Amino acid sequence: MTHSSKNIQFVVQPDGKLTGTLRVPGDKSISHRSIMLGSLAEGVTEVSGFLEGEDSLATLQAFRDMGVRIEGPIGGRVTIHGVGLHGLKPPAKALDLGNSGTSMRLLSGLMSGQAFDVEMVGDASLSTRPMKRVTVPLAQMGAEVATTAAGTPPLKVKGGRQLHGISYQMPVASAQVKSCILLAGLYADSATCVTEPAPTRDHTERMLKGFGYPVRVDGATACVEPGGKLTATTIDVPADISSATFFMVGAAISEGSDITLQHVGINPTRIGVINILRLMGADITLGNEREVGGEPVADLRVRAGKLRGIRIPEEQVPLAIDEFPALFIAAACAEGETVLTGAEELRVKESDRIQVMADGLVELGVDARATPDGIVIQGGALGSGAVNSHGDHRIAMSFAMAALRAGGPITINDCANVNTSFPGFVALAAAAGLQISSSEA
Ligand code: S3P
């Protein structure tokens, strides 16, 4: 247990079903970006539905540390007194970004354009995550960002460098890298373009436009020109489809379930989980589809059904990148074999999600075999047992839902980081019918 000082342990009793109508917390990706762009805008930005989780709060604190006046969050409402693109102040100490890879990677781009030096640090997990994917293109722009010899945090960003526009072909499909480069591009002396090998979440592009900053998108390429400004706006953050996923999978696998998840973001770059679950035979319907502040949302109704194993189409991988731990639970409850390939990125998330999930599934008696870039899972019966989340929020919540179909209780260790993305998970899951308890072990 290296990731948090406390071992928060979940014990989940088997059986049960998920019913009712509920709203999961705000989208993490959009919450981060609302603080970043709101801080750099001119005027006062009002955010509602903000995720009050540790990751987005780390971003909020970082901007407070750089002199931005931010009120809240109170009930998901945040008021940001923007300081303009050149109004940030040097922080008194290193920015502590906790568990949050998104904060560190996006900020590395933004910080490269500032007049002052910044150091960024993170927790044990973040301190092992690859940062060369951002420092290499930033160096091409003329930035100076130092990592450890292993290419990991802490990051030391030199201020006062003139950045130059580049055209960058991303080797990995990563929205964090794309966003980092585009944000650095706001401070460059010429146009900056990023081309992605496969579609990834486009919240940065959409939100820049929402703040009145032009972004040119042509196929797989997004470009920004320098010299623009961000104008304060209002942002209604939809519920996070990545958090909704645990309930979607839980309802899909447990007989008698019927759940409605309200106001969920269904941006086309995020709906791989819906596509994949439907290919497996899940019963998911979208209602009340509408657009809020440039992002599509809907109410999702999920009813229990019979799932079948599939070969997951590789083009769905970047569209469901955070949803695989939960999808592996669906696969374990399906009839037949599920094969995932082309997902080596899962090995460098908050944990090695391929290995940690394979280990936990095997512990529960499932035939699961990790491969270098994916996993092969034979659907069948889930037993009871104790698994370790390795401090990874999404692993903890995935195994909690697995109990709905398990032969006995499931104990999950090292769950404190559920608070990074889903504060209130235990209470909300219990209200929906999961027999879950949480304690400090
Ligand atoms: C995110 C992008 C994804 C995702 C992460 C959030 C973002 O990472 O896994 O949870 O907000 O841009 P990559 O872009 O590295 O795949």
Side-chain angles (χ1 to χ4, degrees), residues 239-276:
D240 197 327
I241 192 169
S242 298
S243 297
T245 289
F246 306 107
F247 290 87
M248 292 169 68
V249 166
I253 64 173
S254 55
E255 214 184 311
S257 289
D258 183 352
I259 200 157
T260 298
L261 299 153
Q262 292 176 309
H263 206 72
V264 179
I266 52 158
N267 180 312
T269 60
R270 295 285 298 280
I271 57 169
V273 60
I274 297 176
N275 300 335
I276 292 167

Side-chain angles (χ1 to χ4, degrees), residues 27-30 32-33 102 105-106 129 133 173-179 200-201 203-204 242 270 318 321-322 345 349-350 353 393-394:
D27 188 280
K28 184 151 72 74
S29 294
I30 297 174
H32 282 300
R33 287 159 173 82
T102 307
R105 296 214 179 97
L106 270 58
R129 297 185 64 188
R133 55 181 60 196
S174 165
Q176 294 182 353
V177 176
K178 173 175 63 174
S179 302
T200 68
R201 64 192 69 192
H203 305 301
T204 301
S242 298
R270 295 285 298 280
I321 194 67
D322 292 333
E345 272 295 297
K349 293 294 180 188
E350 287 83 328
R353 288 183 173 161
H393 54 138
R394 300 202 195 281

Side-chain angles (χ1 to χ4, degrees), residues 146-167:
T147 65
T148 65
T152 55
L155 294 187
K156 289 181 179 156
V157 187
K158 269 256 163 293
R161 313 271 310 190
Q162 177 57 60
L163 302 184
H164 311 297
I166 56 169
S167 283

